[in-house]
């Protein structure tokens, strides 16, 4: 780097040295301005900092990779020699040791200094530092203890994060933990919670990736966890954040003064939860007022006090944001509102600043025209500045010469170093702004100053200036900030008078700064000359030779004054400083000696008290009221006593120094009524409420379920639309309903599939209504076009960005001409602004994050089906873009449909002959591969596919073999882990005309599925299909008939021999016979339970002749539960089962509290009703149910009936006493191994009268098992023999396993084929590893040396590690990855040729139906295709069939049940729904 020092007074005559020195000395004696020295830089600095309490500065030139150092406050600079030139990527100073700093290289080589940069020592690390987040975390009391966050990437986005630690200042470096997101010392700030508690010195908290069954990482944020260790993770613990439970979904943590805060993200919601601790041990959830919740990227944790946390919560859209400021109580658990309509920007920064060094003074900017801004984000904000002198309890305007003054703040910061307004200089505050009604643009502002901490203000300089404080406020420096200038201004009397000093050049100021404590007489200016050349100017006021201040030059200055001008108290004391008098021109000249406040104690007042434990502020913030039923001291409230002595509701704020004597005693115990301690006991009864509506039927109804415990509130919201096109919302599961959008004709409801708080309501025109807070409020926007006339989804949603929408609209369709076509538009702000995405489309979709290999940064990846050459009626091409179609790529020139199913993108395209279809699959959204079907699987013209499921790391595909009307069936083939190579799983699986197949996976248990197969394949025309039911417990590798129950309900024998499975087995009516395809046998939270309608015999008989059967062990054994056919649903995670007669008028339901062993009746009506459906929350965790039906005697009236079981008990089950372990087993083996592992589930003991409440903890792997035949399936080109072995199909070659090396460049070797391949889900280890059984191993090309190294002299132990443990880790990762990403457990996507469908639009898109409880989200089958309508939008239907339906600190702390798509060349309607409905 080029450095050139230029003295301000040049020496002109070298040969007259003595004379020149004498002249210079004389001039210095009379110098009136500061001494200025400039240094030219090659590049703008990336970082610049002072070592605390010194004139030593470090400057980082990132472009050149060098570090510069100055020992004299910037007058002279030298390059650091010990650091390799070009090697410095980042520079950081130690925040607690003013001798230490670090230079971090881009690789594994770094440097440390322990003498303020005089010398540097090189050290190396095993991995490179992460520069996407703070790489270093420091211990507050031991400078040698440092945490290093690293990131190693094998591709652009394929990165692994680890944390390392040192205890000796990087002399040695050790691995702390892998798969971390963030780590910090509990003792990481001077006021950290651990510093005030008895917490071990080495306690470290980390946010880590969630674990899989085998210990592999889960990439989803909702699986992340907070863990801690006191011995560098030799031992690991997980803190109990929510009562006695751990919390998943922790995405960030930070120290905020006295608090450690962790933020958690819920599933299918943008709401966040904050958990707070003041002692690094005991945690509480932060509670906010009910009308304000925390949302992702919508709240900012601000600079807080020692006794409270400040949080600003966004209340509007992010495009033009406004917030509300809240302050917590002293333990950070309850927040109350301070001031509304605070100004914030889209980066999360808030116009909020505390005056440094003075307690209780806060400056904020508020939006005066907030109502207009809320209605339209295009409205410019009108800002006004407000100040508080009582820690935010009240705010007032600031004034200058009697006029309101408004100042630019954090969201429009000009000087990037230090605070906006203040410094450690006591009471001196400056800012750029203007007087008048509102804040004007920055270049229309002037510089204002206050020397009484913001109480009074006066104009200091005209025009906007950067400014800085020095010598404890005795020197103020400013420089013009609206363009280049050749001078600086300075004041020595608190800004009353200003002098100028020439810089010698026209400089455009960029940064003006000084030492962090503002005690120095030296300043530093960074700016450009000529608009491009960067220079640093050292400005030194010591040359002014002002006298040093003496005692008489100082006065006591009180930091806060009340409205009467008297010193004010805060936290029980008055605060004052010894400050230089403004009109005494002298220098304090006490460098690096911080101003120290003095305090005077005050008598206690009401402001020194806060709400006691178990009390919260009343709605009007006027008093503290009980938060819940009050606990009563032992021995009180007995007999006839009406009162007891207890808390007043208040306590002295911890940290308040107020004097008790003579002051307010607000925390003195008082008499409280005993009735506060009484909780209404449960009635022991079930209750119901009936609500009637005008209409003939329900069009659709959906649950907006609170996804998990991280959301606030306890509502169970249902939205519903009748055939009258009216919208009703119930917040209490149908007890009460409210008509919404009265007078507006709603043609469709689109609940947000990835956010349970949001739903959209379409009309016949462009107007769209929406709610993003579960129906509490409604907004609207104008779509760019009327809804499309094509039979496709009108709206598409982004999985992570709640407000990103795609709208498919109709253009040139007014006269039904041939030019009518669809145009896709997109919005990133919930419909405020729209841009054209693509024309002549059929549909467009965001590609979901579930796709396994999808780059997480490709938020804008969109797939569209577009007509070729933008002409109607031409073939559809599949086009993709990752930049809103500024650039695009055609993947397929002629497609029928595509769908995303769990981790795969599956495309049905026309083959080259245009007569049949082919399947292509992608796991990364970029590269597609042809699907290779089994060689012995011959279908001349493949005309229809149904993608059944891909939740277990493999695609289950139903290929239609026979499509005769009424005799349709096909084969199920199962893919390898990348969806390209298929093996035959089962033949002759039943399907119907609409493309649905009789295939259903059990929710909550991996690998269990049921099908119906056609047994009479040789039947002639006109004969009916004869169906048999089969079940698999190993993900389709083996199928068996379902064993029949031993006896009928009342002990009678069946009409066949149950020991003869071929002639006597259980058969269940499946998918193809359901009135609603999302009704299911099982529940995601009722693990092991299934209900079904069927019969025992040789074949499946008519449904009307069926009975209800139940299994409690995952389908191994079944019993008859009830005679006759019923609809059913599960509640309270399976502890309640409710059934109601199907297709019969009835006045009662039957219910069981013991998993179907015993049943009782509950009468809900005095006359029979026709019930068409029974529903509850999609997660099946509620104790409320909803019956949907009608009065059979009144065709114009429909009704809902709420059934409430909460009255049965108010006792929540105890995790330790009321549950038992349950291990699913396989019927033909005795070691309980499924997929290579024994898994333990927690299930409630059936005879305990208690309710489950919060979700039961996740299952745990009890042990891993040795491999057996059941962990393998036949490889490609192999088929299963009668003895279960796999043999090569005659005439076909063995598969080429060397291709695995191409698919995985990291692979070192491969094995020759043995005929077997692992079931993708298994995690078995050792035993019969059939894919390698007696197989030869070969090195992958390019990895020959690695192969040799791998096999060179490995000991028995390492052979075990390499050959057994590593594969186990991979296999187990697969298993748990599926488990924790249960978005699409059950869906079916049928891909074929063109088709039409019924009218309701929602089911044709992936919907949110039943949220999984045990491990993620479970999915109900749904339809995704060319269809635009389907059955009514029933959310939460349990089974049987039936009816319709950022947080940021200022340092960056912020910062459906499945897819079932059908396309069929001769498809008419889906499920026969021909109601007249348009969207």
């Amino acid at each position: 780097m080029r450095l050139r020092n230029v003295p301000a007074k040049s020496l002109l005559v070298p040969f007259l040295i003595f004379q020149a020195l004498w002249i210079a000395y004389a001039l210095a004696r009379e110098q009136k301005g500061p001494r200025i020295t400039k240094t030219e830089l090659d590049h703008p600095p990336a970082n610049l900092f002072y070592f605390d309490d010194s004139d030593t500065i470090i400057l980082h030139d990132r472009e050149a990779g060098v570090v510069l150092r100055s020992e004299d406050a910037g007058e002279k600079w030298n390059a650091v020699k010990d650091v390799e030139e070009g090697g410095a990527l980042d520079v950081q100073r130690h925040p607690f040791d003013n001798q230490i700093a670090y230079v971090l290289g881009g690789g594994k080589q770094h440097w440390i200094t322990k003498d303020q940069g005089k010398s540097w020592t090189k050290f190396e690390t095993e991995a490179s530092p992460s520069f996407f987040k703070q790489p270093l975390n420091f211990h507050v009391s031991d400078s040698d203890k440092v945490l290093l966050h690293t990131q190693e990437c094998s591709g652009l986005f394929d990165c692994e994060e680890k944390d390392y630690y040192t205890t000796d200042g990087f002399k040695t470096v050790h691995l702390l933990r892998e798969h971390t997101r963030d780590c910090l010392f509990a003792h990481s700030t001077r006021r950290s919670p651990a510093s005030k508690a008895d917490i071990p010195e080495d306690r470290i908290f980390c946010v880590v990736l969630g674990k899989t069954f085998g210990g592999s990482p889960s990439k989803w944020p909702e699986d992340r966890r907070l863990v801690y260790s006191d011995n560098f993770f030799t031992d690991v613990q997980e803190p109990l954040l929510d009562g006695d439970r751990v919390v998943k979904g922790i995405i960030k943590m930070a120290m905020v003064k006295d608090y450690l805060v962790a933020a958690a993200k819920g599933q299918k919601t943008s709401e966040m939860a904050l958990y707070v601790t003041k002692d690094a041990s005991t945690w509480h959830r932060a509670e906010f007022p009910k009308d304000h919740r925390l949302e992702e990227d919508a709240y900012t944790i601000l600079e807080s006090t020692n006794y409270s946390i400040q949080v600003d919560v966004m209340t509007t859209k992010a495009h033009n944001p406004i917030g509300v400021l809240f302050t917590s109580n002293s333990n950070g658990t309850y927040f109350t509102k301070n001031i509304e309509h605070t100004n914030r920007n889209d980066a999360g920064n808030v116009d909020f600043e505390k005056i440094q060094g003075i307690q209780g003074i806060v400056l904020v900017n508020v939006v005066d025209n907030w109502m207009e801004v809320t209605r339209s984000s295009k409205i410019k904000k009108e800002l006004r500045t407000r100040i508080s002198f009582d820690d935010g309890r009240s705010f007032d305007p600031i004034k200058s010469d009697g006029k309101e003054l408004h100042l630019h703040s954090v969201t429009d910061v000009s000087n990037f170093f230090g605070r906006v307004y203040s410094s450690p200089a006591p009471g001196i505050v400056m800012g750029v702004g203007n007087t008048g009604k509102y804040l004007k643009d920055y270049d229309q502002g002037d510089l204002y100053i206050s020397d009484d901490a913001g109480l009074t203000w006066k104009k200091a300089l005209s025009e906007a200036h950067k400014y800085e404080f020095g010598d404890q406020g005795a020197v103020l420096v400013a420089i013009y900030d609206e363009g280049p200038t050749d001078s600086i201004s300075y004041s020595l009397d608190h800004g009353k008078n200003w002098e100028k000093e020439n810089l010698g050049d026209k400089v455009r100021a960029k940064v003006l700064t000084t030492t962090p404590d503002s005690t120095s007489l030296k300043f530093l200016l960074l700016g450009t000359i000529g608009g491009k050349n960067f220079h640093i100017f050292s400005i030194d006021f010591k040359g002014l030779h002002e006298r040093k201040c003496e005692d008489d030059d100082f006065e006591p200055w009180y930091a806060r004054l009340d409205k009467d001008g008297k010193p004010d108290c805060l936290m029980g004391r008055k605060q004052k400083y010894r400050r230089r008098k403004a009109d005494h021109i002298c220098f304090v000249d006490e460098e690096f000696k911080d101003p120290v406040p003095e305090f005077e104690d005050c008598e206690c007042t009401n402001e020194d008290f806060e709400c006691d434990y178990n009390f919260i502020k009343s709605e009007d913030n006027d008093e503290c009221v009980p938060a819940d039923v009050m606990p009563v001291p032992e021995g009180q409230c007995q007999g006839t006593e009406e009162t007891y002595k207890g808390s007043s509701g208040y306590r002295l704020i911890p940290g308040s120094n107020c004097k008790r004597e003579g002051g307010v005693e607000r925390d003195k115990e008082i008499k409280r009524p005993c009735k506060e301690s009484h909780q209404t006991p449960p009635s022991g009864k079930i209750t119901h409420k009936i609500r009637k509506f005008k209409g003939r039927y329900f069009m659709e109804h959906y649950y907006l379920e609170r996804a998990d415990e991280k959301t606030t509130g306890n509502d169970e919201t249902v939205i519903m639309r009748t055939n009258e096109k009216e919208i009703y919302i119930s917040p209490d599961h149908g007890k009460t309903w409210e008509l919404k959008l009265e007078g507006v004709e709603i043609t469709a409801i689109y609940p947000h599939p990835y956010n349970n708080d949001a739903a959209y309501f379409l009309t016949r025109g462009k107007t769209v209504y929406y709610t993003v807070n579960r129906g509490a409020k409604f907004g609207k926007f104008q779509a760019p076009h009327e809804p499309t006339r094509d039979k496709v989804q009108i709206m598409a949603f982004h999985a992570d960005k709640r407000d990103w929408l795609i709208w498919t609209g109709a253009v040139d369709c007014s006269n039904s001409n041939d030019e009518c076509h669809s145009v896709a538009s997109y919005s990133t702000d919930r419909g405020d602004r729209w841009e054209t995405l693509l024309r002549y489309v059929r549909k467009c979709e965001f590609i979901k994050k579930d796709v396994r290999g999808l780059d997480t940064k490709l938020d804008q990846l969109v797939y569209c089906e577009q007509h070729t050459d933008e002409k109607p009626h031409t073939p559809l091409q599949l086009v993709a873009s990752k930049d809103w179609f500024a650039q695009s790529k055609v993947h397929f020139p002629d497609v029928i449909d595509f769908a995303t199913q769990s981790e795969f993108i599956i495309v049905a395209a026309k083959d080259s002959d245009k007569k049949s279809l082919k399947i292509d699959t992608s796991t990364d959204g970029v590269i597609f591969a042809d699907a290779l079907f089994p060689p012995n699987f011959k279908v001349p013209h493949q005309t229809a596919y149904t993608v059944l499921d891909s939740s277990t790391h493999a695609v289950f595909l139903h290929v239609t073999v026979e499509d005769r009307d009424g005799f349709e069936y096909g084969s199920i083939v199962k893919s390898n882990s990348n969806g390209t190579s298929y093996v035959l799983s089962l033949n002759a699986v039943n399907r119907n005309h609409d493309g649905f197949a009789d295939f259903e996976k059990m929710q909550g248990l991996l690998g269990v599925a049921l099908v119906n197969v056609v047994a009479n394949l040789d039947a002639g025309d006109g004969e009916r299909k004869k169906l048999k039911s089969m079940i698999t417990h190993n993900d389709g590798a083996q199928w068996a008939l379902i064993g029949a129950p031993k006896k009928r309900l009342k002990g009678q024998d069946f009409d066949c021999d149950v020991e003869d499975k071929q002639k006597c087995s259980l058969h269940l009516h499946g998918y193809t016979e359901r009135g609603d395809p999302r009704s299911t046998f099982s529940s995601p939270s009722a693990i092991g339970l299934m209900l079904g309608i069927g019969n025992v015999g040789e074949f499946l008989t008519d449904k009307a002749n069926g009975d209800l059967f139940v299994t409690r062990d995952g389908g191994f054994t079944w019993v008859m539960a009830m005679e006759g056919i019923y609809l059913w649903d599960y509640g309270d995670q399976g502890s309640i089962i409710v059934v109601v007669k199907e297709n019969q008028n009835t006045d009662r339901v039957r219910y069981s509290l013991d998993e179907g062993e015993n049943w009782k009746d509950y009468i809900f009506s005095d006359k029979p009703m026709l019930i068409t459906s029974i529903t509850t929350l999609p997660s099946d965790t509620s104790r409320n149910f909803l019956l949907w039906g009608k009065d059979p005697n009144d065709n114009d009236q429909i009704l809902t009936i709420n059934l409430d079981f909460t009255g049965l008990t108010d006792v929540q089950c105890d995790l330790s006493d009321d549950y038992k372990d349950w291990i699913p087993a396989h019927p033909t083996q005795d070691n309980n191994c499924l997929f290579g592992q024994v898994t333990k589930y927690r299930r409630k003991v059936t005879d305990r009268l208690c309710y489950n409440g919060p979700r039961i903890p996740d299952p745990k792997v009890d042990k891993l098992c040795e491999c057996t035949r059941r962990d393998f399936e036949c490889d490609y080109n192999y088929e299963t023999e009668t003895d279960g072995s796999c043999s090569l199909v005659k005439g076909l070659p063995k598969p080429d396993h060397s291709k695995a090396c191409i698919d995985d460049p990291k692979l070192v070797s491969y094995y020759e084929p043995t005929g077997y391949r692992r079931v993708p889900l298994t995690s078995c280890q050792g035993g019969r590893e059939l894919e390698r059984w007696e197989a030869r191993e070969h090195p992958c090309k390019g990895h020959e040396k690695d192969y040799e190294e791998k096999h060179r002299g490995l000991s028995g132990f390492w052979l075990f590690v390499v050959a057994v443990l590593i594969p186990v880790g991979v296999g187990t990762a697969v298993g748990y990855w599926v488990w924790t990403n249960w978005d699409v457990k059950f869906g079916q996507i049928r891909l074929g040729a063109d088709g039409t469908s019924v009218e309701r639009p929602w089911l044709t898109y992936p919907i949110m139906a039943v949220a999984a409880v045990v491990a993620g989200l479970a999915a109900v089958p749904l339809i995704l295709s060319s269809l635009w309508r389907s059955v009514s939008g029933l959310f939460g239907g349990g089974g049987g069939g039936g009816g319709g339906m950022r947080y940021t600190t200022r340092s960056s702390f912020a910062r459906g049940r499945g897819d079932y798509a059908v396309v069929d060349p001769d498809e008419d309607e889906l499920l026969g729904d021909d109601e007249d409905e348009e969207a």
Side-chain angles (χ1 to χ4, degrees), residues 157 219-220 849-856 858 903-904 922-926 1377:
F157 300 110
K219 65 181 180 180
W220 306 127
K849 68 178 182 180
D850 303 36
V851 176
R852 188 194 323 150
L854 182 65
D855 287 343
T856 56
L858 296 181
E903 55 195 295
F904 301 96
S922 175
T923 59
D924 62 3
V926 178
W1377 186 93

Side-chain angles (χ1 to χ4, degrees), residues 316-317 370-379 780 832:
T316 61
K317 292 185 181 180
W370 60 271
M371 292 186 67
E372 291 83 355
V373 173
T374 301
R375 285 194 290 262
S376 173
S377 59
K378 299 177 182 178
I379 301 296
K780 67 178 179 179
D832 278 356

Side-chain angles (χ1 to χ4, degrees), residues 234-258:
T234 300
D235 301 302
V236 184
Q237 299 183 66
E238 193 166 359
L240 302 177
L241 300 186
D242 192 5
D244 61 348
R245 295 173 183 260
V246 299
V247 174
K248 294 196 302 183
I250 305 297
I251 62 172
K252 187 68 177 176
M253 62 177 170
M255 291 289 183
V256 184
K257 284 292 181 79
D258 285 24

Side-chain angles (χ1 to χ4, degrees), residues 190-202:
R190 290 191 174 94
R191 295 195 60 89
S192 63
S195 65
K196 301 184 298 299
D198 187 19
I199 297 299
E201 283 293 313
D202 292 332

Side-chain angles (χ1 to χ4, degrees), residues 353 363 407-410 412-423 428-433 442 446-449 457 460-461 463-470 475-481 489 498 509-514 518 523-525:
E353 183 172 311
L363 280 161
L407 301 174
H408 290 272
S409 185
V410 177
D412 191 20
V413 64
S414 172
N415 206 35
F416 295 98
F417 278 68
R419 295 170 181 262
V420 177
Y421 302 128
S422 61
S423 78
I428 310 297
V429 187
M430 288 194 283
V432 173
Y442 183 80
D446 301 313
L447 180 62
Y448 288 83
I449 188 169
W457 294 78
L461 294 169
E463 311 296 344
H465 284 69
K466 295 184 191 297
Y467 46 90
E468 190 53 279
F469 312 78
V475 181
L476 307 178
V477 179
I479 185 168
Y480 177 71
D481 196 25
S489 299
W498 293 81
K510 300 297 181 183
V511 172
L512 178 62
T513 187
T514 185
S518 292
F523 296 77
L524 204 67
L525 170 67

Side-chain angles (χ1 to χ4, degrees), residues 19-51:
Q19 183 178 1
L21 290 173
W22 178 260
I23 293 173
Y25 173 76
L27 288 173
R29 294 273 299 180
E30 299 178 2
Q31 182 178 345
K32 294 183 178 180
R35 183 173 183 271
I36 299 175
T37 303
K38 71 177 180 181
T39 302
E40 185 176 356
L41 305 176
D42 285 341
H43 308 108
N47 192 7
L48 183 151
F49 62 81
Y50 287 78
F51 284 100

Side-chain angles (χ1 to χ4, degrees), residues 239-468:
L240 302 177
L241 300 186
D242 192 5
D244 61 348
R245 295 173 183 260
V246 299
V247 174
K248 294 196 302 183
I250 305 297
I251 62 172
K252 187 68 177 176
M253 62 177 170
M255 291 289 183
V256 184
K257 284 292 181 79
D258 285 24
Y259 308 88
L260 174 57
V261 181
K265 181 183 187 301
Q267 294 183 358
K268 289 197 133 185
T269 179
S270 56
E271 187 171 358
M272 308 280 286
L274 281 186
Y275 297 91
V276 182
T277 179
K278 283 202 74 174
D279 61 6
S281 179
T282 304
W283 294 77
H284 302 278
R285 178 171 177 168
E287 301 290 342
F288 285 77
K290 293 180 180 179
D291 56 343
H292 289 92
R293 66 179 197 171
L294 302 185
E295 293 198 354
E296 190 175 5
D297 296 326
Y299 65 100
T300 304
I301 297 180
L302 301 163
E303 179 187 14
S304 301
T305 69
N306 301 334
Y307 45 85
S308 64
I309 304 173
Q310 267 75 40
V311 177
D312 189 84
V313 180
M314 188 168 69
T315 58
T316 61
K317 292 185 181 180
H319 179 61
N320 205 11
I322 300 175
V324 175
L325 179 64
F326 292 92
T327 296
S328 77
N329 60 350
S330 62
N331 60 357
T333 54
Y334 289 104
F335 284 76
T336 54
K337 187 187 304 181
N338 287 115
I339 187 169
E340 294 188 283
H341 319 311
T342 52
N343 183 50
R344 49 188 294 136
N345 62 16
D346 54 9
N349 297 319
V350 182
D351 279 351
F352 169 98
E353 183 172 311
K354 291 181 176 293
I355 301 303
Q356 188 171 358
I358 300 175
Q359 291 182 333
I361 302 182
V362 182
L363 280 161
V364 300
N365 281 342
V366 296
V367 181
D368 194 58
N369 60 333
W370 60 271
M371 292 186 67
E372 291 83 355
V373 173
T374 301
R375 285 194 290 262
S376 173
S377 59
K378 299 177 182 178
I379 301 296
K380 184 178 180 180
K381 296 176 185 175
E382 295 174 347
L383 304 182
R384 307 177 78 169
T385 299
R386 295 291 182 262
I387 193 168
S388 173
F389 293 95
D390 54 10
D391 215 20
R393 295 187 184 93
S394 62
F395 284 86
D396 298 296
I398 60 174
K399 293 185 177 182
S400 176
D401 294 330
K403 299 177 182 178
E404 274 200 32
L405 175 64
H406 314 289
L407 301 174
H408 290 272
S409 185
V410 177
T411 61
D412 191 20
V413 64
S414 172
N415 206 35
F416 295 98
F417 278 68
R419 295 170 181 262
V420 177
Y421 302 128
S422 61
S423 78
I428 310 297
V429 187
M430 288 194 283
V432 173
N434 58 271
T435 56
K437 194 172 183 181
Y438 306 114
L439 181 64
K440 300 177 182 178
D441 291 341
Y442 183 80
D443 58 8
Q444 297 182 53
D446 301 313
L447 180 62
Y448 288 83
I449 188 169
S450 169
D451 68 350
D452 52 14
L455 186 63
T456 61
W457 294 78
K458 61 174 181 263
K459 184 194 286 189
L461 294 169
S462 296
E463 311 296 344
H465 284 69
K466 295 184 191 297
Y467 46 90
E468 190 53 279

